[in-house]
Amino acid sequence: MSDYYTMADAATFKGVSYYTVARAVRRGKLIATRLGRQALIARADLDAWTPMKERAPKKYTRREPNADV
């Protein structure tokens, strides 16, 4: 195990989507250190963070194709 995870690795490690990790970072619930264009999350911070179960915004929900179009 390394001491830092990328946001994509953190999402896989916690079993949530990348969007959930990014939202937690933006809200300040998960601390990310920037390294150029990449955001790194410390293992201790990731272990301490418990993601909330939130619904995805309506724009990300899957819809059935419209056959009338």
Side-chain angles (χ1 to χ4, degrees):
M1 279 187 139
S2 65
D3 292 334
Y4 289 93
Y5 295 99
T6 63
M7 288 176 54
D9 290 337
T12 303
F13 180 69
K14 283 294 191 173
V16 296
S17 69
Y18 179 88
Y19 180 74
T20 301
V21 175
R23 185 173 42 213
V25 169
R26 280 195 308 272
R27 291 182 179 173
K29 296 182 180 192
L30 187 58
I31 299 168
T33 305
R34 290 275 181 199
L35 180 62
R37 294 179 63 182
Q38 191 172 22
L40 299 175
I41 300 169
R43 180 175 29 168
D45 293 333
L46 188 60
D47 289 339
W49 176 63
T50 47
M52 292 180 55
K53 293 188 176 194
E54 300 177 11
R55 293 186 63 160
K58 192 167 184 87
K59 67 181 180 179
Y60 293 108
T61 58
R62 188 178 187 117
R63 293 184 227 135
E64 293 298 318
N66 189 353
D68 296 335
V69 176

